[in-house]
Amino acid sequence: MAGTAASTVPWSNWAGNQSGTAIILRPGSVTETVDAVLATRDAGGRIRVAGSGHSFTPIALADDRRMDLSALDTGVRVDAARRLVTVPAGMTLHALNELLARHGLALPNLGDIDAQTVAGAISTGTHGTGAGHGCLATFVEAITLVTGAGEVLRCSAEENNDVFAAARVSLGALGVLVEVTLRCVDAFVLHAHERPAPLDDVLAELPALIEGHDHVEFYWFPYTTRVQVKANDRVPADDRPLSRLRGWLDDEFLSNTVFAGACRVGRAVPALAPTISAVSARALTERRYTGRSDAVFCTSRRVRFVEMEYGLPRAALGEALAALRRIVDGLPFKVLFPVEVRFTAADDIWLSHGYGRDSVYLAIHQYVGMPYEPYFTAFERVATQLGGRPHWGKLHWRDAESLAPAYPRWADFRTVRDRLDPDRVFTNPHLIRVLGA
């Protein structure tokens, strides 16, 4: 049976900064998932479910058994009239977007990567940008999970609602998500406007930008006063598609091929990093185009990096960004990647970074092979003092003691975890650190 196959294989995440070897479990059904969980519990073992490996933390790193849900088949159910779609939790966002498009549907918002699995994306609080939208987990209407006791539990706002509030962003600590029902919207077209601008001008007009567009974000280029602003808005028709040549030039050649080469040069000759950043800030010129929503939201990312991201109260952006600029200027090494700034609405999911507040997210990156820890930890100290919450899938050094005060429903989450997984089948050293023993 697939759920009990016991081959040992190596694994690493997308960035290559997390790797390990574990017994791999590949259930093909919910029954096989239950059998694998019970067998592991009875053996005193532990399971981590690994999706597509797009987390930078060791959150999916298994020290005993790793569960791969790519073969899990729970069927697909589409209720187009109610705009509800139920899919296996191991389906990738890319496959989900294609499925939805075939039925004239779409997710209301997306991040800029579509390689994650549905379970991985919602469990870590993956988000896009937009003042009217929470993280992707806010689109979840119901979930089915297998608990540490082997129980198959269906959860929604009406059924097991405390588990529902906890399990949508759960770090995989409550059980194996096997099926997810998502509330979608009718398929829509986005008009994208991307433009370079002075940082100070963007900060001055930011409230109007956030409220005036469906989705807005910007990228600050270190060692410069320049940013790239991206605004996406719904429009009735796809009447200005991006030409194939312009799309290849900007999104493949400049953003991937040329940028990868520039990063390699910057890694070899760090003194060139400010020049590279200045050239990058000028290379991406203004453009406007329309396209299917997921094609506009999601971009190709082939240049490898490591990342930290913090969600902060929106009012803290100015102070956080000013501190970040000072940190970058004072580092003993150079930074090769821009800083991404995004915005989300408040939600009511217990361990969501956006719980109870409208948020601004600052994501800092460093090219693979470059030093990053002093950069990331310096910004983490600033973000923590400003009430920041670290993205669960991105690097941070917080522990349970420091995280608990940041989440008003922390104790409630722990209570649900004790009930669903009393034997701690779904844990690893990383979760012991961030959630407690």
Tab-separated table of all heavy atoms in Angstrom, residues 12 15 37 40 64-65 82 84 93 145-146 208 304 325 327 340 358 382 384 399 424:
chain	number	residue	atom	x	y	z
A	12	SER	N	15.344	18.290	-0.389
A	12	SER	CA	15.771	19.659	-0.117
A	12	SER	C	14.701	20.616	-0.607
A	12	SER	O	13.899	20.274	-1.493
A	12	SER	CB	17.113	19.970	-0.789
A	12	SER	OG	16.983	19.952	-2.201
A	15	ALA	N	15.079	26.597	-2.220
A	15	ALA	CA	16.244	27.463	-2.052
A	15	ALA	C	17.521	26.673	-1.797
A	15	ALA	O	18.623	27.215	-1.938
A	15	ALA	CB	16.014	28.443	-0.905
A	37	VAL	N	-0.654	7.438	9.436
A	37	VAL	CA	-0.608	8.207	10.688
A	37	VAL	C	-0.659	7.276	11.885
A	37	VAL	O	0.126	7.418	12.837
A	37	VAL	CB	-1.759	9.231	10.730
A	37	VAL	CG1	-1.887	9.842	12.126
A	37	VAL	CG2	-1.537	10.331	9.692
A	40	THR	N	2.571	5.311	12.308
A	40	THR	CA	3.638	6.170	12.828
A	40	THR	C	3.427	6.437	14.313
A	40	THR	O	4.382	6.363	15.109
A	40	THR	CB	3.668	7.498	12.052
A	40	THR	OG1	3.892	7.222	10.662
A	40	THR	CG2	4.769	8.412	12.578
A	64	ASP	N	12.050	11.989	10.751
A	64	ASP	CA	11.654	10.581	10.839
A	64	ASP	C	10.987	10.162	9.530
A	64	ASP	O	11.587	9.487	8.712
A	64	ASP	CB	10.720	10.370	12.036
A	64	ASP	CG	10.258	8.925	12.164
A	64	ASP	OD1	10.962	8.026	11.666
A	64	ASP	OD2	9.180	8.693	12.754
A	65	ARG	N	9.734	10.627	9.321
A	65	ARG	CA	8.991	10.247	8.121
A	65	ARG	C	8.431	11.504	7.453
A	65	ARG	O	7.907	12.393	8.119
A	65	ARG	CB	7.849	9.288	8.488
A	65	ARG	CG	8.345	8.089	9.262
A	65	ARG	CD	7.230	7.209	9.769
A	65	ARG	NE	7.759	6.303	10.802
A	65	ARG	CZ	7.197	5.154	11.135
A	65	ARG	NH1	6.081	4.753	10.568
A	65	ARG	NH2	7.754	4.393	12.070
A	82	ARG	N	-22.340	28.023	-6.922
A	82	ARG	CA	-22.010	28.575	-5.602
A	82	ARG	C	-20.566	29.047	-5.516
A	82	ARG	O	-20.131	29.531	-4.485
A	82	ARG	CB	-22.277	27.520	-4.535
A	82	ARG	CG	-23.734	27.079	-4.433
A	82	ARG	CD	-23.892	25.918	-3.472
A	82	ARG	NE	-23.484	26.286	-2.112
A	82	ARG	CZ	-23.092	25.411	-1.188
A	82	ARG	NH1	-22.994	24.127	-1.499
A	82	ARG	NH2	-22.769	25.821	0.024
A	84	LEU	N	-17.857	27.263	-5.397
A	84	LEU	CA	-17.108	26.449	-4.438
A	84	LEU	C	-16.382	25.333	-5.184
A	84	LEU	O	-16.979	24.653	-6.033
A	84	LEU	CB	-18.043	25.844	-3.387
A	84	LEU	CG	-18.751	26.815	-2.448
A	84	LEU	CD1	-19.712	26.057	-1.529
A	84	LEU	CD2	-17.732	27.590	-1.619
A	93	LEU	N	-0.951	25.125	-6.668
A	93	LEU	CA	-1.725	26.308	-7.034
A	93	LEU	C	-1.783	26.475	-8.546
A	93	LEU	O	-2.794	26.925	-9.089
A	93	LEU	CB	-1.123	27.556	-6.396
A	93	LEU	CG	-1.242	27.663	-4.874
A	93	LEU	CD1	-0.560	28.943	-4.387
A	93	LEU	CD2	-2.692	27.647	-4.424
A	145	LEU	N	-9.144	17.037	7.580
A	145	LEU	CA	-7.805	16.654	8.003
A	145	LEU	C	-7.837	15.351	8.778
A	145	LEU	O	-8.868	14.979	9.351
A	145	LEU	CB	-7.146	17.747	8.832
A	145	LEU	CG	-7.565	17.967	10.276
A	145	LEU	CD1	-6.463	18.712	11.032
A	145	LEU	CD2	-8.845	18.797	10.333
A	146	VAL	N	-6.709	14.666	8.767
A	146	VAL	CA	-6.515	13.450	9.546
A	146	VAL	C	-5.723	13.832	10.779
A	146	VAL	O	-4.603	14.338	10.687
A	146	VAL	CB	-5.768	12.374	8.736
A	146	VAL	CG1	-5.498	11.148	9.604
A	146	VAL	CG2	-6.565	12.000	7.491
A	208	ALA	N	-3.251	56.781	-0.666
A	208	ALA	CA	-4.091	56.866	-1.861
A	208	ALA	C	-3.830	55.690	-2.799
A	208	ALA	O	-4.767	55.172	-3.429
A	208	ALA	CB	-3.828	58.184	-2.585
A	304	ARG	N	17.665	31.848	-7.500
A	304	ARG	CA	17.483	31.308	-6.155
A	304	ARG	C	17.922	32.324	-5.090
A	304	ARG	O	18.910	33.038	-5.259
A	304	ARG	CB	18.271	30.011	-5.979
A	304	ARG	CG	17.910	28.937	-6.993
A	304	ARG	CD	16.487	28.426	-6.850
A	304	ARG	NE	16.087	27.593	-7.962
A	304	ARG	CZ	15.717	26.320	-7.851
A	304	ARG	NH1	15.726	25.725	-6.670
A	304	ARG	NH2	15.348	25.644	-8.919
A	325	ARG	N	16.796	50.612	5.826
A	325	ARG	CA	17.778	51.298	4.987
A	325	ARG	C	19.084	51.514	5.761
A	325	ARG	O	20.178	51.354	5.207
A	325	ARG	CB	17.199	52.619	4.488
A	325	ARG	CG	16.013	52.438	3.554
A	325	ARG	CD	15.357	53.754	3.204
A	325	ARG	NE	16.202	54.549	2.305
A	325	ARG	CZ	15.878	55.772	1.894
A	325	ARG	NH1	14.739	56.345	2.328
A	325	ARG	NH2	16.671	56.434	1.069
A	327	ILE	N	20.144	49.651	8.228
A	327	ILE	CA	20.760	48.326	8.394
A	327	ILE	C	21.543	47.948	7.145
A	327	ILE	O	22.704	47.505	7.223
A	327	ILE	CB	19.679	47.268	8.704
A	327	ILE	CG1	19.128	47.470	10.124
A	327	ILE	CG2	20.246	45.854	8.548
A	327	ILE	CD1	17.871	46.664	10.407
A	340	GLU	N	10.682	43.728	-0.983
A	340	GLU	CA	9.297	43.723	-1.455
A	340	GLU	C	8.364	44.191	-0.341
A	340	GLU	O	8.453	43.732	0.802
A	340	GLU	CB	8.910	42.311	-1.904
A	340	GLU	CG	7.520	42.204	-2.514
A	340	GLU	CD	7.206	40.791	-2.968
A	340	GLU	OE1	7.852	39.841	-2.475
A	340	GLU	OE2	6.314	40.632	-3.815
A	358	ASP	N	-4.993	45.197	9.829
A	358	ASP	CA	-4.500	45.448	8.484
A	358	ASP	C	-2.974	45.491	8.543
A	358	ASP	O	-2.408	46.114	9.448
A	358	ASP	CB	-5.032	46.776	7.955
A	358	ASP	CG	-6.542	46.761	7.755
A	358	ASP	OD1	-7.118	45.663	7.630
A	358	ASP	OD2	-7.148	47.852	7.739
A	382	VAL	N	14.240	44.869	14.774
A	382	VAL	CA	13.404	46.050	14.515
A	382	VAL	C	11.938	45.640	14.388
A	382	VAL	O	11.043	46.235	15.001
A	382	VAL	CB	13.871	46.762	13.231
A	382	VAL	CG1	12.877	47.840	12.822
A	382	VAL	CG2	15.252	47.353	13.427
A	384	THR	N	10.347	42.964	15.424
A	384	THR	CA	9.781	42.456	16.684
A	384	THR	C	9.360	43.607	17.586
A	384	THR	O	8.277	43.581	18.182
A	384	THR	CB	10.794	41.554	17.395
A	384	THR	OG1	11.148	40.459	16.537
A	384	THR	CG2	10.216	41.000	18.687
A	399	ASP	N	11.044	32.214	18.872
A	399	ASP	CA	10.643	30.976	19.532
A	399	ASP	C	9.271	31.169	20.159
A	399	ASP	O	8.678	32.252	20.088
A	399	ASP	CB	11.672	30.533	20.561
A	399	ASP	CG	11.904	31.568	21.658
A	399	ASP	OD1	11.067	32.486	21.822
A	399	ASP	OD2	12.927	31.465	22.359
A	424	ARG	N	1.977	14.249	19.589
A	424	ARG	CA	2.903	15.035	18.778
A	424	ARG	C	3.477	14.217	17.618
A	424	ARG	O	4.686	14.169	17.393
A	424	ARG	CB	4.024	15.628	19.633
A	424	ARG	CG	3.544	16.637	20.668
A	424	ARG	CD	2.928	17.873	20.002
A	424	ARG	NE	2.641	18.936	20.965
A	424	ARG	CZ	1.440	19.162	21.520
A	424	ARG	NH1	0.419	18.359	21.198
A	424	ARG	NH2	1.257	20.159	22.355
